[in-house]
Amino acid sequence: MAQEASSSTSSKTISLKTGDGEIFEIEASAAKQMKTVQRLIDDLGDDITIPLHNVFSKELPKIIEYYKKDITGEITKDFEAEFVKDLNDDEVKVLFLAANYLDANKLFEFLSQNIADRLESKSVEYVRKYFGVENDFTPEEESKLREERAWSFRGIKEDE
Amino acid sequence: MAAFEELPEGCIATILSRTTPLDAGRLSLISKTFRSAADSDAVWDQFLPSDPNFIDSIISHSPSLANIQTKKALYLALSDRPIIIDNGKKSFQLDRKSGKKCIMLAARSFAITWGDDERYWNWIAMPESRFPEVAKLNHVWWLEIRGMINTLALSANTQYGAYLVFKMIDPSGFENLPVDLSVGVEGGNNNTKIVCLDSNVEPMWHIAGRRNRDWNRHMRRLQDRVVGLPRPNIRSDEWLEIEMGEFFNSSLEHEEVHMSVIETKAGQLKYNFFVEGIEIRPK
C-alpha cells in the first residue's frame, strides 16, 4: 500500500538496492527526480528497499551524487564539467543507460549532450564500436547509403 | 560491469539531435536502427531554425518546398541552394554544416551613389547571377555603395562574415587602387578594411628600361599603394568575393549592420565592375 507522503519528505531517505546486491541511501526528494524510482515507491511504499535490477554499484553512487547537487540547486557548468571529466567513454555510456532506465531526465539530457560531444566528427566505425552495435546493412545497401550521404563525410577522420 | 543492451531508438535520436547535421547524416550508416533514428523528424527538427513562422515564410517563396514530407528533406532542400526572397532583393540558404542562416543581399537593395543615373550605372540581367538584376558600373569617379541587414534575419549567437560578390569584365581603374570596405553594427564600432579589387597581383605594365626612370618610379609608387592588400577569391559559383569584415550576432537585440564599399579619393575613373551583392554567412 502506498503511504501518504510525510510532511518532512525532505529529510526522509529511501534505500535503493543495486543489481549486484549493494544498498545505497538517497533523499526522498532526490528519488522524486528519478521517475522509475518514484513509481516503485508509489507501488511498494517508501519503507521498503527499492530493487533496481539494471543499475549496479559502480554507477549508482555517481547518479546519487548528481541528484544530491540537483536538489540543493547547485548544479553549475563547472560541476557538470567536473562530473564527466574523468569518465571514460564506457563509463559515460553506462551512466547514460542507467539514467534512461531510471527515467532521470536531467541527468539523461546532460549525458546525451556529453556523448554527442564525444562522437562529433568521428567515423562510422568508431561510433559502431562505441555503442557495440552490429552493422546489419548488406554491402550493397551500405554503399548506396554512402553515396546518398556523401555530403556528410566531408572532413571526417575515417580511420579513427 | 553492466551488460550493454540495445539502445532504444528514442535514446539514439536524443543523442543524435545534439550532434551536428553532418554527424546525423553520416551516423545513419551504423545500423538500421540508427538510420531510423538519424533520419527522424525529432533529430532534424533540432537542426532547422527554431522559429516556425520563419520556415513558413521561406516555404511561401518556394512552393516546391511545401510538398516536402520530412524535416530532414526540408533541411537538405533549404541548405542545398539559395532561395530568392523579398522580391528578388535577397537570397536565403541554410549553411549545411551548422544549420545557420546565410543571406545574400542583392545589389538592387543597396544605396549606390549615382546608381540611378544610366550614364554611370546600369541594371542588367546576367544568366550567371541568382538575382534578376546585377549592377553594372559603366564608369564613375565616386564609388560609394551602401548595404544594410537587420540581424533579425540571421541566426543568433553566431559570428558572421560579410563578403562583396562581384565580377570584373574588361575592367579599368581598379589596378593599384585601394578601396575601403566597412562593416559595422549601428551604434557600435565600424571596422574598415583596405583591399584591392583587382585579382591580378602581377603588375600590368612593363617596368620600362633604365632610360625611363621617372615612369618606373611612378609605376612603383602606384603599385606600392596595393602591396600586401587582400585580393578577391573565386567562388564555387564563379563570381569573385572579398571579405568586407565580420560581426557577432548576439541575438540580445535586433540591430542593423551597415556595410559599405567606398573609393572616392583617387580621383580616377573606374569601369566595368559588376556587383551581384553582399553575402553574409557564418565564419
Side-chain angles (χ1 to χ4, degrees):
Chain A
M1 260 339 78
Q3 298 197 0
E4 298 291 352
S6 66
S7 53
S8 56
T9 342
S10 52
S11 55
K12 183 149 179 75
T13 61
I14 308 284
S15 294
L16 302 175
K17 185 170 176 184
T18 65
D20 49 343
E22 281 195 42
I23 304 212
F24 294 91
E25 301 289 319
I26 178 177
E27 317 263 322
S29 49
K32 249 195 163 65
Q33 305 300 324
M34 305 183 218
K35 299 208 191 84
T36 304
V37 175
Q38 190 57 51
R39 277 195 288 270
L40 287 167
I41 293 173
D42 291 342
D43 287 342
L44 303 171
D46 54 7
D47 282 338
I48 284 191
T49 302
I50 305 290
L52 299 174
H53 298 299
N54 282 330
V55 184
F56 295 82
S57 54
K58 191 148 189 280
E59 57 267 17
L60 189 55
K62 201 81 173 142
I63 297 174
I64 292 175
E65 179 195 332
Y66 187 86
Y67 277 100
K68 254 205 181 95
K69 276 282 185 190
D70 185 40
I71 57 181
T72 57
E74 278 172 39
I75 293 193
T76 60
K77 285 264 178 261
D78 285 340
F79 169 75
E80 286 187 329
E82 202 48 46
F83 188 81
V84 290
K85 196 171 68 133
D86 294 323
L87 296 177
N88 66 33
D89 289 346
D90 270 323
E91 288 164 336
V92 175
K93 206 168 51 178
V94 164
L95 272 176
F96 176 73
L97 287 173
N100 181 50
Y101 171 77
L102 293 171
D103 208 347
N105 196 53
K106 194 160 179 174
L107 182 60
F108 178 78
E109 295 286 329
F110 165 54
L111 291 175
S112 62
Q113 181 65 60
N114 189 250
I115 293 177
D117 293 341
R118 288 170 193 245
L119 299 180
E120 191 171 321
S121 294
K122 291 291 198 286
S123 71
V124 173
E125 256 317 300
Y126 181 96
V127 181
R128 251 191 216 129
K129 278 206 206 87
Y130 180 87
F131 287 110
V133 172
E134 289 287 314
N135 178 7
D136 54 357
F137 290 118
T138 67
E140 297 79 38
E141 284 172 337
E142 182 167 349
S143 66
K144 183 163 181 279
L145 278 178
R146 260 181 205 267
E147 216 182 287
E148 274 172 20
R149 285 137 213 257
W151 52 268
S152 65
F153 281 86
R154 275 185 283 139
I156 299 310
K157 306 160 263 222
E158 269 294 332
D159 40 37
E160 202 154 328
Chain B
M1 185 58 196
F4 184 78
E5 316 116 63
E6 272 290 334
L7 255 190
E9 192 178 311
C11 284
I12 299 174
T14 302
I15 294 174
L16 290 177
S17 69
R18 285 155 188 269
T19 60
T20 67
L22 295 190
D23 291 327
R26 188 176 69 260
L27 299 180
S28 59
L29 262 88
I30 286 174
S31 71
K32 293 186 177 158
T33 308
F34 263 78
R35 181 182 51 181
S36 176
D39 287 355
S40 67
D41 275 1
V43 169
W44 291 88
D45 205 26
Q46 293 297 311
F47 299 140
L48 286 165
S50 52
D51 33 351
N53 294 326
F54 175 80
I55 300 285
D56 288 340
S57 83
I58 295 294
I59 291 179
S60 71
H61 284 98
S62 194
S64 60
L65 296 179
N67 295 326
I68 289 184
Q69 302 293 338
T70 68
K71 302 272 176 172
K72 177 176 178 181
L74 181 60
Y75 183 93
L76 293 180
L78 292 176
S79 55
D80 188 42
R81 64 185 62 123
I83 294 168
I84 307 303
I85 61 175
D86 217 1
N87 277 321
K89 299 235 193 75
K90 283 201 185 90
S91 76
F92 167 83
Q93 188 169 353
L94 287 181
D95 172 51
R96 181 160 289 186
K97 245 176 53 175
S98 63
K100 308 267 186 191
K101 297 175 193 170
C102 301
I103 301 274
M104 189 185 291
L105 302 170
R108 247 315 175 196
S109 71
F110 298 157
I112 300 183
T113 309
W114 300 117
D116 291 330
D117 190 327
E118 280 181 357
R119 292 175 290 173
Y120 303 116
W121 288 89
N122 289 143
W123 294 92
I124 63 170
M126 282 180 91
E128 60 264 51
S129 169
R130 64 182 68 180
F131 296 119
E133 289 175 307
V134 164
K136 175 192 180 217
L137 173 64
N138 287 333
H139 64 274
V140 94
W141 280 277
W142 188 278
L143 178 65
E144 181 173 349
I145 300 174
R146 295 183 180 275
M148 187 275 288
I149 188 166
N150 194 305
T151 56
L152 164 72
L154 299 170
S155 298
N157 290 318
T158 307
Q159 184 76 11
Y160 275 97
Y163 301 82
L164 179 67
V165 181
F166 64 101
K167 274 192 203 255
M168 297 283 195
I169 304 175
D170 293 328
S172 169
F174 288 98
E175 323 79 44
N176 305 320
L177 183 70
V179 175
D180 289 347
L181 304 182
S182 297
V183 175
V185 174
E186 190 178 34
N189 285 329
N190 202 38
N191 290 312
T192 301
K193 265 182 149 72
I194 306 176
V195 307
C196 180
L197 296 179
D198 177 21
S199 319
N200 294 321
V201 186
E202 294 306 314
M204 280 193 54
W205 294 278
H206 295 308
I207 300 295
R210 269 203 283 175
R211 282 171 292 136
N212 211 336
R213 248 188 280 161
D214 283 341
W215 175 250
N216 284 349
R217 210 178 301 133
H218 170 68
M219 287 316 301
R220 247 194 298 274
R221 219 176 297 134
L222 281 184
Q223 283 154 27
D224 281 348
R225 293 194 297 179
V226 295
V227 161
L229 292 186
R231 300 282 179 149
N233 294 313
I234 188 143
R235 294 161 51 96
S236 58
D237 60 11
E238 299 189 353
W239 286 78
L240 292 173
E241 73 173 24
I242 190 159
E243 186 179 326
M244 300 172 73
E246 49 185 283
F247 61 95
F248 183 73
N249 181 25
S250 69
S251 88
L252 293 173
E253 287 165 10
H254 292 139
E255 297 172 308
E256 289 185 349
V257 179
H258 294 266
M259 296 150 281
S260 64
V261 180
I262 299 185
E263 204 303 299
T264 56
K265 292 183 285 201
Q268 75 192 47
L269 274 179
K270 301 166 263 291
Y271 300 80
N272 294 339
F273 169 50
F274 295 74
V275 184
E276 181 174 43
I278 293 176
E279 181 171 69
I280 295 148
R281 63 179 193 251
K283 286 221 82 174

